[in-house]
Amino acid sequence: GLPVQQCLVTGGASRTTGLINHLGQHTKLHYEILDPLRNVKINDKNLSNEFVSEIRDYAAISVGLGLRAVGDV
């Protein structure tokens, strides 16, 4: 297979202080926090910036499932 070049971390673990640096030092891979809402246009009349910041790390699964099409396995 292809070698791993980068690892994206999301969810509650992404908020763990020092985790990204620790993983990178021990595996010699590049780690970064995934922002699942980076390219999502959010209406701030419906969702406050504070709320979006609070849920951002936990939204990856929801966004991924929302992007699925009928018949995806």
Short mmCIF file of all heavy atoms in Angstrom, two decimals:
data_model
loop_
_atom_site.label_atom_id
_atom_site.label_comp_id
_atom_site.label_asym_id
_atom_site.label_seq_id
_atom_site.Cartn_x
_atom_site.Cartn_y
_atom_site.Cartn_z
N GLY A 1 0.80 -1.19 0.00
CA GLY A 1 0.00 0.00 0.00
C GLY A 1 0.85 1.25 0.00
O GLY A 1 2.07 1.21 0.02
N LEU A 2 0.19 2.35 -0.01
CA LEU A 2 0.86 3.65 0.02
C LEU A 2 1.27 4.02 1.44
O LEU A 2 0.56 3.68 2.40
CB LEU A 2 -0.07 4.73 -0.54
CG LEU A 2 -0.50 4.55 -1.99
CD1 LEU A 2 -1.54 5.60 -2.36
CD2 LEU A 2 0.70 4.64 -2.92
N PRO A 3 2.37 4.73 1.61
CA PRO A 3 2.78 5.14 2.96
C PRO A 3 1.88 6.26 3.48
O PRO A 3 1.36 7.07 2.72
CB PRO A 3 4.21 5.65 2.75
CG PRO A 3 4.26 6.06 1.32
CD PRO A 3 3.32 5.14 0.59
N VAL A 4 1.70 6.28 4.78
CA VAL A 4 0.92 7.34 5.42
C VAL A 4 1.76 8.61 5.39
O VAL A 4 2.92 8.60 5.79
CB VAL A 4 0.56 6.96 6.88
CG1 VAL A 4 -0.14 8.11 7.58
CG2 VAL A 4 -0.29 5.70 6.90
N GLN A 5 1.16 9.70 4.91
CA GLN A 5 1.87 10.96 4.83
C GLN A 5 1.40 11.98 5.86
O GLN A 5 2.14 12.86 6.26
CB GLN A 5 1.71 11.55 3.43
CG GLN A 5 2.33 10.69 2.36
CD GLN A 5 2.11 11.27 0.97
OE1 GLN A 5 1.59 12.37 0.82
NE2 GLN A 5 2.50 10.53 -0.04
N GLN A 6 0.14 11.86 6.29
CA GLN A 6 -0.43 12.84 7.20
C GLN A 6 -1.56 12.19 7.97
O GLN A 6 -2.27 11.33 7.45
CB GLN A 6 -0.97 14.02 6.38
CG GLN A 6 -1.66 15.08 7.17
CD GLN A 6 -2.14 16.22 6.29
OE1 GLN A 6 -1.78 16.34 5.13
NE2 GLN A 6 -2.97 17.07 6.84
N CYS A 7 -1.74 12.61 9.21
CA CYS A 7 -2.83 12.10 10.04
C CYS A 7 -3.68 13.29 10.51
O CYS A 7 -3.14 14.30 10.96
CB CYS A 7 -2.30 11.36 11.26
SG CYS A 7 -1.39 9.87 10.85
N LEU A 8 -4.98 13.15 10.38
CA LEU A 8 -5.91 14.18 10.82
C LEU A 8 -6.61 13.69 12.08
O LEU A 8 -7.10 12.57 12.12
CB LEU A 8 -6.93 14.49 9.72
CG LEU A 8 -6.32 14.96 8.41
CD1 LEU A 8 -7.39 15.05 7.33
CD2 LEU A 8 -5.65 16.30 8.58
N VAL A 9 -6.65 14.54 13.09
CA VAL A 9 -7.25 14.19 14.37
C VAL A 9 -8.48 15.05 14.58
O VAL A 9 -8.47 16.25 14.30
CB VAL A 9 -6.25 14.42 15.52
CG1 VAL A 9 -6.85 14.03 16.85
CG2 VAL A 9 -4.96 13.66 15.27
N THR A 10 -9.56 14.45 15.06
CA THR A 10 -10.79 15.19 15.33
C THR A 10 -11.45 14.60 16.57
O THR A 10 -10.95 13.66 17.16
CB THR A 10 -11.73 15.15 14.11
OG1 THR A 10 -12.82 16.05 14.35
CG2 THR A 10 -12.25 13.77 13.84
N GLY A 11 -12.55 15.17 16.96
CA GLY A 11 -13.26 14.69 18.14
C GLY A 11 -12.65 15.24 19.42
O GLY A 11 -11.79 16.11 19.40
N GLY A 12 -13.09 14.70 20.53
CA GLY A 12 -12.64 15.17 21.83
C GLY A 12 -11.14 15.03 22.02
O GLY A 12 -10.51 15.85 22.69
N ALA A 13 -10.55 14.00 21.43
CA ALA A 13 -9.10 13.78 21.58
C ALA A 13 -8.30 14.94 21.00
O ALA A 13 -7.20 15.23 21.46
CB ALA A 13 -8.70 12.48 20.91
N SER A 14 -8.84 15.60 19.99
CA SER A 14 -8.11 16.71 19.37
C SER A 14 -7.92 17.87 20.34
O SER A 14 -7.07 18.73 20.11
CB SER A 14 -8.82 17.19 18.11
OG SER A 14 -10.07 17.78 18.42
N ARG A 15 -8.68 17.90 21.41
CA ARG A 15 -8.55 18.97 22.42
C ARG A 15 -7.57 18.62 23.53
O ARG A 15 -7.32 19.44 24.41
CB ARG A 15 -9.92 19.27 23.03
CG ARG A 15 -10.89 19.88 22.06
CD ARG A 15 -12.17 20.25 22.72
NE ARG A 15 -13.06 20.88 21.74
CZ ARG A 15 -14.06 21.66 22.07
NH1 ARG A 15 -14.34 21.90 23.33
NH2 ARG A 15 -14.81 22.17 21.13
N THR A 16 -7.02 17.43 23.49
CA THR A 16 -6.09 17.00 24.52
C THR A 16 -4.77 17.75 24.37
O THR A 16 -4.10 17.66 23.34
CB THR A 16 -5.82 15.48 24.42
OG1 THR A 16 -7.08 14.80 24.50
CG2 THR A 16 -4.89 15.01 25.52
N THR A 17 -4.39 18.48 25.40
CA THR A 17 -3.18 19.29 25.36
C THR A 17 -1.96 18.42 25.09
O THR A 17 -1.74 17.43 25.77
CB THR A 17 -3.00 20.03 26.71
OG1 THR A 17 -4.16 20.82 26.96
CG2 THR A 17 -1.78 20.93 26.67
N GLY A 18 -1.20 18.79 24.09
CA GLY A 18 0.05 18.12 23.76
C GLY A 18 -0.08 16.85 22.94
O GLY A 18 0.94 16.27 22.54
N LEU A 19 -1.30 16.39 22.67
CA LEU A 19 -1.47 15.12 21.96
C LEU A 19 -0.87 15.17 20.56
O LEU A 19 -0.13 14.25 20.17
CB LEU A 19 -2.95 14.74 21.87
CG LEU A 19 -3.24 13.47 21.07
CD1 LEU A 19 -2.66 12.26 21.76
CD2 LEU A 19 -4.73 13.30 20.84
N ILE A 20 -1.16 16.19 19.80
CA ILE A 20 -0.68 16.29 18.42
C ILE A 20 0.85 16.27 18.38
O ILE A 20 1.45 15.54 17.59
CB ILE A 20 -1.24 17.55 17.73
CG1 ILE A 20 -2.77 17.58 17.76
CG2 ILE A 20 -0.71 17.70 16.32
CD1 ILE A 20 -3.43 16.47 17.01
N ASN A 21 1.48 17.06 19.25
CA ASN A 21 2.94 17.09 19.30
C ASN A 21 3.51 15.74 19.71
O ASN A 21 4.50 15.27 19.13
CB ASN A 21 3.43 18.18 20.25
CG ASN A 21 3.19 19.57 19.70
OD1 ASN A 21 3.11 19.76 18.50
ND2 ASN A 21 3.06 20.53 20.59
N HIS A 22 2.91 15.12 20.70
CA HIS A 22 3.38 13.82 21.18
C HIS A 22 3.31 12.77 20.07
O HIS A 22 4.27 12.02 19.85
CB HIS A 22 2.55 13.38 22.39
CG HIS A 22 2.95 12.07 22.95
ND1 HIS A 22 4.06 11.92 23.76
CD2 HIS A 22 2.41 10.84 22.81
CE1 HIS A 22 4.17 10.64 24.09
NE2 HIS A 22 3.17 9.97 23.53
N LEU A 23 2.18 12.70 19.40
CA LEU A 23 2.03 11.73 18.32
C LEU A 23 3.05 11.98 17.21
O LEU A 23 3.66 11.04 16.69
CB LEU A 23 0.61 11.79 17.75
CG LEU A 23 -0.51 11.27 18.64
CD1 LEU A 23 -1.86 11.60 18.04
CD2 LEU A 23 -0.36 9.78 18.89
N GLY A 24 3.22 13.23 16.84
CA GLY A 24 4.17 13.57 15.78
C GLY A 24 5.60 13.20 16.13
O GLY A 24 6.34 12.67 15.30
N GLN A 25 5.98 13.46 17.37
CA GLN A 25 7.35 13.14 17.80
C GLN A 25 7.59 11.64 17.83
O GLN A 25 8.68 11.18 17.47
CB GLN A 25 7.62 13.73 19.19
CG GLN A 25 7.74 15.23 19.19
CD GLN A 25 7.85 15.78 20.60
OE1 GLN A 25 7.68 15.08 21.59
NE2 GLN A 25 8.14 17.08 20.70
N HIS A 26 6.60 10.88 18.23
CA HIS A 26 6.80 9.44 18.39
C HIS A 26 6.60 8.65 17.09
O HIS A 26 7.09 7.54 16.98
CB HIS A 26 5.89 8.91 19.49
CG HIS A 26 6.39 9.24 20.86
ND1 HIS A 26 6.69 10.52 21.25
CD2 HIS A 26 6.65 8.46 21.92
CE1 HIS A 26 7.12 10.52 22.48
NE2 HIS A 26 7.11 9.27 22.92
N THR A 27 5.89 9.20 16.14
CA THR A 27 5.64 8.47 14.89
C THR A 27 6.38 9.09 13.71
O THR A 27 6.42 8.48 12.65
CB THR A 27 4.14 8.44 14.56
OG1 THR A 27 3.69 9.78 14.34
CG2 THR A 27 3.34 7.78 15.67
N LYS A 28 6.90 10.30 13.88
CA LYS A 28 7.58 11.03 12.81
C LYS A 28 6.66 11.33 11.63
O LYS A 28 7.09 11.48 10.49
CB LYS A 28 8.82 10.27 12.31
CG LYS A 28 9.80 9.90 13.39
CD LYS A 28 10.34 11.10 14.11
CE LYS A 28 11.40 10.67 15.13
NZ LYS A 28 11.38 11.43 16.33
N LEU A 29 5.35 11.41 11.91
CA LEU A 29 4.37 11.77 10.90
C LEU A 29 3.83 13.17 11.20
O LEU A 29 3.90 13.65 12.33
CB LEU A 29 3.20 10.78 10.89
CG LEU A 29 3.52 9.36 10.45
CD1 LEU A 29 2.32 8.45 10.70
CD2 LEU A 29 3.91 9.32 8.98
N HIS A 30 3.25 13.80 10.19
CA HIS A 30 2.63 15.11 10.36
C HIS A 30 1.18 14.92 10.82
O HIS A 30 0.41 14.23 10.16
CB HIS A 30 2.67 15.90 9.05
CG HIS A 30 1.92 17.19 9.12
ND1 HIS A 30 2.39 18.28 9.84
CD2 HIS A 30 0.74 17.56 8.60
CE1 HIS A 30 1.51 19.26 9.73
NE2 HIS A 30 0.51 18.85 8.98
N TYR A 31 0.83 15.50 11.95
CA TYR A 31 -0.53 15.45 12.47
C TYR A 31 -1.11 16.86 12.47
O TYR A 31 -0.40 17.83 12.72
CB TYR A 31 -0.54 14.95 13.93
CG TYR A 31 -0.34 13.47 14.05
CD1 TYR A 31 0.92 12.91 13.95
CD2 TYR A 31 -1.41 12.62 14.28
CE1 TYR A 31 1.11 11.54 14.08
CE2 TYR A 31 -1.22 11.25 14.40
CZ TYR A 31 0.04 10.73 14.29
OH TYR A 31 0.22 9.38 14.40
N GLU A 32 -2.39 16.95 12.20
CA GLU A 32 -3.08 18.23 12.35
C GLU A 32 -4.53 17.98 12.73
O GLU A 32 -5.06 16.90 12.50
CB GLU A 32 -2.95 19.11 11.11
CG GLU A 32 -3.80 18.73 9.94
CD GLU A 32 -3.61 19.71 8.78
OE1 GLU A 32 -2.53 19.75 8.20
OE2 GLU A 32 -4.59 20.42 8.48
N ILE A 33 -5.13 19.00 13.30
CA ILE A 33 -6.53 18.90 13.72
C ILE A 33 -7.41 19.16 12.49
O ILE A 33 -7.24 20.15 11.78
CB ILE A 33 -6.84 19.90 14.84
CG1 ILE A 33 -6.01 19.55 16.08
CG2 ILE A 33 -8.32 19.92 15.16
CD1 ILE A 33 -6.12 20.55 17.20
N LEU A 34 -8.34 18.24 12.26
CA LEU A 34 -9.28 18.37 11.15
C LEU A 34 -10.38 19.34 11.53
O LEU A 34 -10.97 19.23 12.61
CB LEU A 34 -9.89 17.00 10.83
CG LEU A 34 -11.05 17.01 9.84
CD1 LEU A 34 -10.55 17.33 8.45
CD2 LEU A 34 -11.77 15.69 9.85
N ASP A 35 -10.64 20.29 10.67
CA ASP A 35 -11.76 21.21 10.86
C ASP A 35 -12.85 20.82 9.86
O ASP A 35 -12.80 21.21 8.69
CB ASP A 35 -11.33 22.66 10.63
CG ASP A 35 -12.47 23.64 10.81
OD1 ASP A 35 -13.62 23.20 11.07
OD2 ASP A 35 -12.22 24.85 10.69
N PRO A 36 -13.83 20.02 10.30
CA PRO A 36 -14.85 19.54 9.37
C PRO A 36 -15.77 20.65 8.86
O PRO A 36 -16.51 20.44 7.90
CB PRO A 36 -15.63 18.52 10.20
CG PRO A 36 -15.43 18.95 11.61
CD PRO A 36 -14.05 19.54 11.65
N LEU A 37 -15.71 21.81 9.46
CA LEU A 37 -16.58 22.92 9.06
C LEU A 37 -15.82 23.99 8.28
O LEU A 37 -16.37 25.04 7.98
CB LEU A 37 -17.24 23.53 10.30
CG LEU A 37 -18.05 22.57 11.16
CD1 LEU A 37 -18.57 23.27 12.40
CD2 LEU A 37 -19.19 21.96 10.37
N ARG A 38 -14.58 23.70 7.92
CA ARG A 38 -13.73 24.69 7.25
C ARG A 38 -14.38 25.25 5.99
O ARG A 38 -14.33 26.44 5.74
CB ARG A 38 -12.37 24.08 6.93
CG ARG A 38 -11.44 25.05 6.22
CD ARG A 38 -10.11 24.45 5.89
NE ARG A 38 -10.31 23.28 5.03
CZ ARG A 38 -9.54 22.21 5.03
NH1 ARG A 38 -8.50 22.15 5.82
NH2 ARG A 38 -9.79 21.20 4.22
N ASN A 39 -15.00 24.41 5.19
CA ASN A 39 -15.60 24.85 3.92
C ASN A 39 -17.12 24.90 3.97
O ASN A 39 -17.76 24.93 2.93
CB ASN A 39 -15.14 23.93 2.79
CG ASN A 39 -13.67 24.04 2.53
OD1 ASN A 39 -13.09 25.11 2.62
ND2 ASN A 39 -13.03 22.92 2.24
N VAL A 40 -17.67 24.91 5.17
CA VAL A 40 -19.13 24.96 5.34
C VAL A 40 -19.53 26.40 5.64
O VAL A 40 -19.00 27.04 6.55
CB VAL A 40 -19.58 24.03 6.49
CG1 VAL A 40 -21.07 24.16 6.73
CG2 VAL A 40 -19.20 22.59 6.19
N LYS A 41 -20.47 26.90 4.85
CA LYS A 41 -20.99 28.25 5.08
C LYS A 41 -22.03 28.16 6.18
O LYS A 41 -23.01 27.42 6.06
CB LYS A 41 -21.60 28.79 3.80
CG LYS A 41 -21.86 30.27 3.82
CD LYS A 41 -22.41 30.72 2.47
CE LYS A 41 -21.39 31.58 1.81
NZ LYS A 41 -21.88 32.15 0.55
N ILE A 42 -21.83 28.91 7.27
CA ILE A 42 -22.72 28.85 8.43
C ILE A 42 -23.41 30.19 8.60
O ILE A 42 -22.77 31.24 8.62
CB ILE A 42 -21.93 28.48 9.70
CG1 ILE A 42 -21.33 27.09 9.52
CG2 ILE A 42 -22.82 28.54 10.93
CD1 ILE A 42 -20.39 26.66 10.62
N ASN A 43 -24.73 30.15 8.71
CA ASN A 43 -25.53 31.35 8.92
C ASN A 43 -25.46 31.72 10.41
O ASN A 43 -26.02 31.02 11.24
CB ASN A 43 -26.97 31.09 8.49
CG ASN A 43 -27.84 32.31 8.62
OD1 ASN A 43 -27.52 33.25 9.33
ND2 ASN A 43 -28.96 32.30 7.91
N ASP A 44 -24.77 32.81 10.71
CA ASP A 44 -24.61 33.19 12.12
C ASP A 44 -25.89 33.70 12.77
O ASP A 44 -25.93 33.93 13.97
CB ASP A 44 -23.46 34.18 12.30
CG ASP A 44 -23.64 35.48 11.54
OD1 ASP A 44 -24.68 35.65 10.87
OD2 ASP A 44 -22.74 36.32 11.62
N LYS A 45 -26.96 33.82 11.98
CA LYS A 45 -28.26 34.16 12.57
C LYS A 45 -28.87 32.92 13.22
O LYS A 45 -29.68 33.03 14.13
CB LYS A 45 -29.21 34.71 11.50
CG LYS A 45 -28.81 36.07 10.99
CD LYS A 45 -29.78 36.57 9.96
CE LYS A 45 -29.30 37.91 9.42
NZ LYS A 45 -30.17 38.39 8.36
N ASN A 46 -28.49 31.73 12.71
CA ASN A 46 -29.01 30.48 13.26
C ASN A 46 -28.08 29.85 14.29
O ASN A 46 -28.54 29.23 15.24
CB ASN A 46 -29.26 29.47 12.13
CG ASN A 46 -30.34 29.93 11.18
OD1 ASN A 46 -31.30 30.58 11.58
ND2 ASN A 46 -30.17 29.62 9.91
N LEU A 47 -26.78 29.98 14.07
CA LEU A 47 -25.78 29.38 14.96
C LEU A 47 -24.74 30.43 15.31
O LEU A 47 -24.09 30.98 14.44
CB LEU A 47 -25.09 28.19 14.29
CG LEU A 47 -25.98 27.02 13.88
CD1 LEU A 47 -25.19 26.01 13.07
CD2 LEU A 47 -26.60 26.36 15.10
N SER A 48 -24.55 30.66 16.59
CA SER A 48 -23.57 31.66 17.02
C SER A 48 -22.15 31.13 16.77
O SER A 48 -21.91 29.92 16.74
CB SER A 48 -23.75 31.99 18.49
OG SER A 48 -23.35 30.89 19.30
N ASN A 49 -21.21 32.04 16.63
CA ASN A 49 -19.81 31.67 16.46
C ASN A 49 -19.31 30.88 17.66
O ASN A 49 -18.51 29.95 17.51
CB ASN A 49 -18.94 32.91 16.26
CG ASN A 49 -19.18 33.56 14.91
OD1 ASN A 49 -19.56 32.88 13.95
ND2 ASN A 49 -18.94 34.85 14.82
N GLU A 50 -19.78 31.22 18.85
CA GLU A 50 -19.38 30.51 20.06
C GLU A 50 -19.85 29.06 20.02
O GLU A 50 -19.11 28.14 20.36
CB GLU A 50 -19.94 31.20 21.31
CG GLU A 50 -19.38 32.58 21.57
CD GLU A 50 -20.07 33.67 20.75
OE1 GLU A 50 -21.19 33.45 20.22
OE2 GLU A 50 -19.47 34.75 20.62
N PHE A 51 -21.08 28.85 19.57
CA PHE A 51 -21.62 27.48 19.48
C PHE A 51 -20.85 26.67 18.45
O PHE A 51 -20.48 25.52 18.69
CB PHE A 51 -23.11 27.52 19.15
CG PHE A 51 -23.70 26.15 19.01
CD1 PHE A 51 -23.92 25.35 20.12
CD2 PHE A 51 -24.03 25.65 17.76
CE1 PHE A 51 -24.46 24.08 20.00
CE2 PHE A 51 -24.57 24.38 17.62
CZ PHE A 51 -24.78 23.60 18.75
N VAL A 52 -20.59 27.27 17.30
CA VAL A 52 -19.86 26.57 16.24
C VAL A 52 -18.46 26.20 16.73
O VAL A 52 -17.99 25.09 16.50
CB VAL A 52 -19.81 27.42 14.95
CG1 VAL A 52 -18.89 26.79 13.92
CG2 VAL A 52 -21.21 27.60 14.39
N SER A 53 -17.80 27.10 17.44
CA SER A 53 -16.47 26.80 17.99
C SER A 53 -16.53 25.65 18.97
O SER A 53 -15.63 24.82 19.05
CB SER A 53 -15.89 28.02 18.68
OG SER A 53 -15.59 29.01 17.73
N GLU A 54 -17.62 25.58 19.73
CA GLU A 54 -17.79 24.54 20.74
C GLU A 54 -18.01 23.16 20.11
O GLU A 54 -17.50 22.16 20.60
CB GLU A 54 -18.97 24.88 21.64
CG GLU A 54 -19.14 23.99 22.83
CD GLU A 54 -20.27 24.46 23.72
OE1 GLU A 54 -20.37 25.67 23.97
OE2 GLU A 54 -21.06 23.59 24.12
N ILE A 55 -18.73 23.09 19.00
CA ILE A 55 -19.06 21.80 18.39
C ILE A 55 -18.12 21.39 17.26
O ILE A 55 -18.17 20.25 16.80
CB ILE A 55 -20.51 21.77 17.85
CG1 ILE A 55 -20.67 22.75 16.68
CG2 ILE A 55 -21.51 22.03 18.96
CD1 ILE A 55 -21.90 22.50 15.85
N ARG A 56 -17.28 22.29 16.83
CA ARG A 56 -16.41 22.06 15.65
C ARG A 56 -15.66 20.74 15.74
O ARG A 56 -15.61 19.97 14.79
CB ARG A 56 -15.43 23.22 15.51
CG ARG A 56 -14.54 23.12 14.30
CD ARG A 56 -13.69 24.38 14.15
NE ARG A 56 -14.44 25.61 14.19
CZ ARG A 56 -15.11 26.13 13.16
NH1 ARG A 56 -15.12 25.51 12.01
NH2 ARG A 56 -15.76 27.27 13.28
N ASP A 57 -15.06 20.44 16.88
CA ASP A 57 -14.26 19.22 17.03
C ASP A 57 -15.09 17.95 17.01
O ASP A 57 -14.56 16.87 16.80
CB ASP A 57 -13.45 19.27 18.32
CG ASP A 57 -12.46 20.42 18.33
OD1 ASP A 57 -11.93 20.75 17.25
OD2 ASP A 57 -12.22 20.99 19.40
N TYR A 58 -16.37 18.07 17.23
CA TYR A 58 -17.23 16.90 17.31
C TYR A 58 -18.11 16.71 16.06
O TYR A 58 -18.91 15.80 16.01
CB TYR A 58 -18.14 17.00 18.54
CG TYR A 58 -17.35 17.22 19.80
CD1 TYR A 58 -17.27 18.48 20.38
CD2 TYR A 58 -16.66 16.18 20.39
CE1 TYR A 58 -16.53 18.68 21.53
CE2 TYR A 58 -15.91 16.37 21.54
CZ TYR A 58 -15.86 17.62 22.10
OH TYR A 58 -15.11 17.82 23.24
N ALA A 59 -17.93 17.55 15.07
CA ALA A 59 -18.84 17.56 13.92
C ALA A 59 -18.40 16.67 12.76
O ALA A 59 -19.15 16.52 11.80
CB ALA A 59 -19.01 19.00 13.42
N ALA A 60 -17.23 16.07 12.81
CA ALA A 60 -16.70 15.33 11.65
C ALA A 60 -17.62 14.19 11.23
O ALA A 60 -17.89 14.02 10.03
CB ALA A 60 -15.31 14.79 11.95
N ILE A 61 -18.11 13.40 12.15
CA ILE A 61 -18.97 12.27 11.79
C ILE A 61 -20.28 12.78 11.21
O ILE A 61 -20.74 12.28 10.18
CB ILE A 61 -19.21 11.35 13.01
CG1 ILE A 61 -17.91 10.67 13.38
CG2 ILE A 61 -20.30 10.32 12.71
CD1 ILE A 61 -17.97 9.86 14.65
N SER A 62 -20.88 13.78 11.82
CA SER A 62 -22.14 14.32 11.32
C SER A 62 -21.99 14.90 9.93
O SER A 62 -22.83 14.66 9.05
CB SER A 62 -22.65 15.42 12.27
OG SER A 62 -22.85 14.90 13.55
N VAL A 63 -20.93 15.64 9.70
CA VAL A 63 -20.69 16.22 8.38
C VAL A 63 -20.45 15.11 7.37
O VAL A 63 -21.00 15.12 6.26
CB VAL A 63 -19.51 17.22 8.40
CG1 VAL A 63 -19.11 17.63 7.00
CG2 VAL A 63 -19.86 18.43 9.24
N GLY A 64 -19.65 14.13 7.74
CA GLY A 64 -19.38 13.01 6.83
C GLY A 64 -20.63 12.25 6.45
O GLY A 64 -20.87 11.93 5.28
N LEU A 65 -21.47 11.97 7.43
CA LEU A 65 -22.71 11.26 7.15
C LEU A 65 -23.65 12.11 6.30
O LEU A 65 -24.34 11.59 5.42
CB LEU A 65 -23.42 10.84 8.44
CG LEU A 65 -22.73 9.72 9.22
CD1 LEU A 65 -23.41 9.52 10.58
CD2 LEU A 65 -22.72 8.43 8.43
N GLY A 66 -23.64 13.41 6.54
CA GLY A 66 -24.49 14.31 5.76
C GLY A 66 -24.07 14.42 4.30
O GLY A 66 -24.86 14.76 3.44
N LEU A 67 -22.81 14.12 4.01
CA LEU A 67 -22.30 14.21 2.64
C LEU A 67 -22.51 12.92 1.84
O LEU A 67 -22.27 12.90 0.64
CB LEU A 67 -20.81 14.55 2.65
CG LEU A 67 -20.47 15.94 3.17
CD1 LEU A 67 -18.96 16.09 3.31
CD2 LEU A 67 -21.03 17.00 2.24
N ARG A 68 -22.95 11.89 2.50
CA ARG A 68 -23.18 10.61 1.81
C ARG A 68 -24.31 10.72 0.81
O ARG A 68 -25.22 11.52 0.96
CB ARG A 68 -23.51 9.52 2.82
CG ARG A 68 -22.34 9.18 3.72
CD ARG A 68 -22.69 8.14 4.71
NE ARG A 68 -23.00 6.90 4.01
CZ ARG A 68 -23.46 5.82 4.62
NH1 ARG A 68 -23.67 5.82 5.91
NH2 ARG A 68 -23.72 4.73 3.94
N ALA A 69 -24.27 9.88 -0.18
CA ALA A 69 -25.33 9.80 -1.18
C ALA A 69 -26.07 8.48 -1.01
O ALA A 69 -25.54 7.54 -0.44
CB ALA A 69 -24.74 9.90 -2.59
N VAL A 70 -27.27 8.41 -1.53
CA VAL A 70 -28.05 7.18 -1.47
C VAL A 70 -27.24 6.07 -2.15
O VAL A 70 -26.69 6.26 -3.23
CB VAL A 70 -29.41 7.36 -2.18
CG1 VAL A 70 -30.15 6.04 -2.26
CG2 VAL A 70 -30.24 8.41 -1.45
N GLY A 71 -27.11 4.95 -1.48
CA GLY A 71 -26.37 3.81 -2.02
C GLY A 71 -24.94 3.73 -1.55
O GLY A 71 -24.28 2.73 -1.80
N ASP A 72 -24.41 4.76 -0.88
CA ASP A 72 -23.05 4.68 -0.33
C ASP A 72 -23.02 3.60 0.74
O ASP A 72 -23.95 3.45 1.51
CB ASP A 72 -22.63 6.00 0.29
CG ASP A 72 -22.28 7.06 -0.74
OD1 ASP A 72 -22.22 6.72 -1.93
OD2 ASP A 72 -22.07 8.22 -0.34
N VAL A 73 -21.95 2.88 0.77
CA VAL A 73 -21.80 1.82 1.77
C VAL A 73 -20.76 2.22 2.77
O VAL A 73 -19.81 2.84 2.52
CB VAL A 73 -21.40 0.49 1.10
CG1 VAL A 73 -21.21 -0.58 2.14
CG2 VAL A 73 -22.45 0.10 0.09
#
